[in-house]
RNA sequence: GCCGGAGUGGCGAAAUUGGUAUACGCACCAGACUCAAAAUCUGGCGAGGUCAAACUCAUGUCGGUUCGAGUCCGACCUCCGGCACCA
């Protein structure tokens, strides 16, 4: 009798309906408030995995929720379609990367549609198409004009397996972010984007988003930028007019400096040393360190500290003391000034180094002791013979520091820096760890760098009118390390835009993170042929209201896109600093490795992958999506479970069957309003309905999607327990029931939209949820309880409960508690010391 | 090593400001239906204790604050993630 729940039939029906009615296409002239809901665009590998499904299920839930709330929602999708795998496929199987990519896109688009994700397909974009990468090139030229894109020869991170350069972000930890191969250093001419120019803003603007981005992501970004305040100090060199500049954050420890240490790459080593056997020795040591560095970069363990005394002497500008200059392997040329003052007593690394080479360790900072009445002075800590086990790296109070003794570190840091500044041997400074973004890749499948080299005119940017610089149809994939484009004569050979003589094109392509740094602006105006986007149109949609993706991009994509936005702002294209108002980083989807107890991210190589298509076929897209959202909080790891998804199907089936059973009574002659003679059960159901609406609405705002599903199940359980029959139910019962069921269907729509549409129709509504539906509103009066069950504690232990009216006074509640039979048994014969009454909540009776 | 985050039933997990710990689901057990099974429905399900109750114990460990602690404070243990000589 009951109609069965056939997901396939329902899902096909509504996917067609949505497509035919262009249900999810957003327009700018819609007067309603906008909501830009964005998921990270996928690489078209060919197949969706469950991580994608989770990402899109979350995004789609929010998009639907906002639509039902009356927002004009833009929910676009596209393809991050440049990159290695297409090229690998070309090398291995002789396929054209373009064909491979387009086929993959077609297949994945089908998978997304079968999942019923509510994308606005009219805005679809793909990075590998000339109408997109033209604007990558345009942005590059704008940056080039402003000096934000520049070329330099420098040691770069080289992945030997993939024969290409990687950015610092992509070779974090000394291994390739994609293939895990150990990264080498190579000297190459490379294009860089001056992200360091924006280092301060990348840290400073964090305060604009700190409440709405995960703390974890912001911390990693802030660590990556590595802002550090300190001072440069110049040490004069004895018998020379040269100076050695060091960077320190602890100028207050300068009286404890017992050596200066230069990095092996420091240019002054060569200059300072007179030709001698010692010099040969030092230079040889430096060369050895440089050679060993690349290898050490990828070693897990830190190398043992090694150094050599150069025999050169430097003069401490504060104390006038003469100290030796060393070269050592633990000082980095890339940071600060490539030289440090060594203060063994107050820096762990210097301490370790000093111990190894028996350099003096001089304590100049004392802990501020609370027991100690007087400020410690030089005499008390004169005894340096007390063996130190560790450096004392905290701030404290200065001792043995001449006129500065007795000052607090934090004051001394400020005052000594300004002293150095006024006396011309130093300046306060801020340094950053972040390096410029190397974007040259020796690859075919990317956006060509729009630069031409002319023998007479030098480096000439391609004029804007000549964009895009198109990729050739084919290239030889030699794997030699040189870009495949270099072998395509038609591509390389061109004429100089300035002098019209023969010239050559740059043969590198850009990092694919360039494509993804601004793609969501293109969605706003995806077919614009005159500009990357019309700023007026983009300003209607951006910034992105909600961005959803994995946290693996915390310091790559997400820092690049923040940088890009700031550049676009400076180009006058956008008017804000931060592109994304709110960020959600979803957890991984894991599955058990067969035969073990280990849960690992799904992957082909581990054999623990689950195919979304098979899930949809077996259980339906609605159940798959419901399970994915229900099984864990969005930011947690999600453990795959076949029986979990079966549970999701059961729930949908139960709701569906219930709607079917009641549809005739509900859609034909359901009463329009509740009447006053509602049964207690009907009132209870209405109460639960309105409580659930309030909870679900709040949970959507806070992105607690798993508890939304739980709340809907709870409400449905009450509906199931509501013992009335379609043919005998009173009007007021029917009203309560219809209200509950319609609320469930509406609130289920963001999670399992096909089933919700179908049930909405069965409930007597035509035209689909988006037209006739709207998000239910909670009525606080109806949600209020008629009776409260108040727990009564004796000495903090639960002993009884009493039923009272919700408007009970404190005094009444207190009396009710003390007169409760069970409670009397506990308190008889004891002295009641205190009665704590928490209104509406609980009573605690303290006895002795 | 440093910096984050997290430890709650057999499992995924819930729990406004400190106020009924274990909602919801999975698994499991029992019953109904069935010749039988599956599906479905009903009930049970932290541990100890009891015929049943009462009661006792329980949110990683130990301590503290409080009338009252999963939640706050201190110390420790374990796991996960990030960074790795950044001066």
């Amino acid at each position: 009798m009951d109609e069965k729940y056939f997901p396939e039939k329902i899902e096909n029906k509504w996917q067609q309906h949505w497509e035919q009615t262009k249900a999810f296409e957003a327009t700018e002239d819609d007067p309603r408030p906008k909501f830009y809901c964005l998921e990270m665009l996928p690489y078209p590998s060919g197949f969706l995995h469950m991580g994608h499904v989770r990402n899109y299920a979350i995004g789609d839930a929010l998009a639907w929720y906002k639509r039902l709330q009356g927002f004009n929602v833009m929910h676009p999708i596209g393809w991050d379609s440049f990159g290695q795998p297409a090229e690998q496929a070309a090398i291995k199987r002789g396929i054209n990367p373009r064909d491979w990519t387009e086929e993959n896109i077609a297949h994945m688009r089908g998978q997304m549609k079968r999942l019923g994700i509510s994308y606005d397909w009219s805005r679809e974009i793909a990075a590998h198409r000339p109408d997109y990468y033209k604007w990558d090139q345009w942005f590059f030229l704008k940056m080039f004009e402003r000096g934000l894109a520049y070329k330099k020869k420098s040691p770069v991170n080289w992945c030997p397996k993939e024969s290409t350069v990687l950015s610092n972000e992509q070779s974090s930890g000394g291994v390739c972010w994609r293939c895990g191969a150990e990264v080498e250093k190579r000297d190459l001419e490379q294009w860089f984007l001056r992200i360091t120019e924006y280092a301060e803003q990348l840290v400073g603007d964090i305060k604009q988003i700190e409440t709405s981005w995960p703390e974890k992501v912001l911390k990693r970004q802030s660590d990556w930028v590595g802002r550090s305040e300190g001072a440069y100090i110049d040490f004069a060199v004895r018998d020379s007019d040269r100076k050695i500049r060091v960077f320190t954050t602890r100028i207050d420890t300068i009286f404890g400096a017992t050596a200066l240490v230069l990095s092996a790459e420091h240019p002054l080593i060569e200059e300072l040393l007179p030709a001698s056997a010692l010099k040969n020795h030092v230079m040889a040591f430096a060369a050895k360190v440089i050679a060993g560095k690349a290898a050490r970069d990828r070693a897990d363990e830190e190398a043992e500290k090694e150094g050599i005394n150069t025999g050169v002497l430097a003069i401490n500008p504060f104390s006038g003391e003469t100290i030796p200059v060393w070269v050592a392997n633990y000082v980095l040329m890339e940071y600060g000034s490539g030289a440090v003052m060594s203060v063994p007593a107050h820096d762990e690394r210097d301490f370790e180094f000093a111990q190894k080479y028996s350099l003096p360790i001089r304590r100049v900072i004392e802990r501020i002791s609370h027991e100690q009445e007087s400020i410690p002075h030089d005499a008390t800590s004169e005894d340096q013979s007390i063996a130190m086990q560790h450096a004392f790296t905290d701030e404290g109070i200065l001792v043995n520091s001449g006129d500065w003794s007795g000052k607090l570190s934090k004051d001394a840091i400020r005052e000594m820096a300004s002293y150095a500044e006024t006396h011309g041997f130093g300046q306060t400074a801020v340094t950053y760890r972040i390096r410029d973004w190397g974007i040259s890749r020796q690859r075919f499948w990317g956006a060509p760098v729009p630069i031409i080299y002319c023998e007479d005119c030098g480096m000439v940017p391609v004029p804007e009118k000549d964009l895009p610089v198109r990729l050739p149809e084919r290239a030889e994939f030699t794997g030699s390390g040189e870009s495949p484009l270099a072998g395509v004569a038609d591509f390389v050979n061109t004429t100089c835009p300035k002098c019209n003589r023969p010239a050559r094109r740059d043969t590198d392509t850009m990092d694919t993170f360039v494509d993804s740094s601004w793609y969501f602006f293109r969605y706003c105006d995806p077919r614009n042929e005159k500009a990357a986007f019309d700023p007026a149109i983009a300003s209607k949609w951006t910034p992105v209201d909600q961005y959803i993706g994995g946290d693996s991009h915390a310091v790559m994509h997400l820092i690049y896109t923040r940088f890009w936005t700031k550049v676009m702002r400076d180009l006058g294209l956008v008017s804000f600093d931060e592109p994304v108002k709110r960020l959600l980083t979803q957890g991984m989807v894991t599955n058990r490795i067969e035969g073990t107890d280990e849960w690992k991210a799904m992957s082909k190589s581990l054999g623990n992958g689950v195919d979304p298509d098979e899930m949809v076929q077996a259980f339906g897209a609605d159940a798959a999506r419901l399970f994915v959202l229900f099984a864990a909080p969005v930011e947690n790891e999600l453990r795959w479970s076949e029986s979990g998804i079966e549970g999701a199907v059961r729930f949908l089936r139960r709701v569906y069957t219930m709607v079917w059973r009641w549809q005739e009574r509900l859609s034909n002659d359901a009463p329009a309003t509740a009447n006053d003679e509602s049964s207690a059960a009907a009132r209870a159901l209405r109460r639960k309905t309105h409580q659930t609406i309030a909870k679900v609405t709040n949970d959507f705002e806070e992105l607690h999607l798993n508890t939304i599903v739980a709340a809907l199940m709870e409400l449905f359980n009450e509906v199931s327990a509501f013992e009335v029959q379609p043919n005998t139910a009173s009007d007021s019962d029917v009203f309560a029931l219809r209200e509950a069921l319609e609320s469930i269907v509406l609130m289920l729509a963001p999670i399992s939209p096909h089933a919700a549409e179908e049930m909405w129709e069965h409930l007597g509504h035509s035209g689909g949820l988006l037209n006739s539906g709207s998000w239910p509103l909670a009525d606080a009066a109806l949600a209020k309880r008629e009776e409260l069950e108040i727990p009564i504690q004796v000495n903090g232990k639960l002993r009884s409960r009493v039923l009272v009216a919700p408007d009970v006074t404190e005094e009444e509640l207190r009396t009710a508690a003390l007169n409760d039979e069970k409670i009397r048994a506990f308190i008889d014969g004891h002295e009641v010391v205190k009665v704590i009454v928490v209104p509406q909540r609980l009573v605690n009776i303290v006895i002795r």
Side-chain angles (χ1 to χ4, degrees), chain A residues 573-645:
Chain A
L573 298 176
V574 303
S575 56
F576 43 80
D577 303 319
E578 291 294 335
V580 171
K581 278 195 198 160
R582 193 176 191 200
L583 174 70
L584 169 67
T585 50
Q586 74 195 64
M588 283 192 311
V589 180
T590 62
N591 199 2
R592 196 193 291 274
I593 311 271
E594 224 182 304
T596 72
D597 215 23
E598 270 185 290
W599 293 80
K600 292 250 171 79
M602 289 184 177
S603 85
K604 262 199 200 116
S605 56
L606 290 171
N608 64 344
V610 171
D611 178 9
D613 279 333
E614 284 176 24
M615 286 303 115
V616 169
Q617 220 166 17
F619 305 105
D622 283 331
R625 293 172 56 170
L626 182 87
F627 168 71
V628 156
L629 296 179
F630 176 54
V634 284
E635 66 277 7
N636 280 24
E637 174 189 333
L638 170 66
R639 295 187 164 195
W640 190 254
S641 150
E642 191 101 341
S643 52
I645 194 168

Side-chain angles (χ1 to χ4, degrees), chain A residues 49-99:
Chain A
H49 50 71
M50 290 311 299
H52 290 124
V53 175
R54 188 177 199 188
N55 194 184
Y56 309 145
I58 295 167
D60 209 32
L62 295 171
W64 265 99
Y65 166 66
K66 286 292 173 180
R67 272 186 207 114
L68 292 174
Q69 278 199 326
F71 283 83
N72 178 26
V73 172
M74 173 154 79
H75 191 213
I77 190 70
W79 309 96
D80 190 16
S81 44
F82 268 142
Q84 306 276 57
E87 203 158 331
Q88 295 300 332
I91 294 167
K92 273 191 203 143
R93 295 188 267 148
I95 309 165
N96 186 322
R98 193 172 283 105
D99 298 341

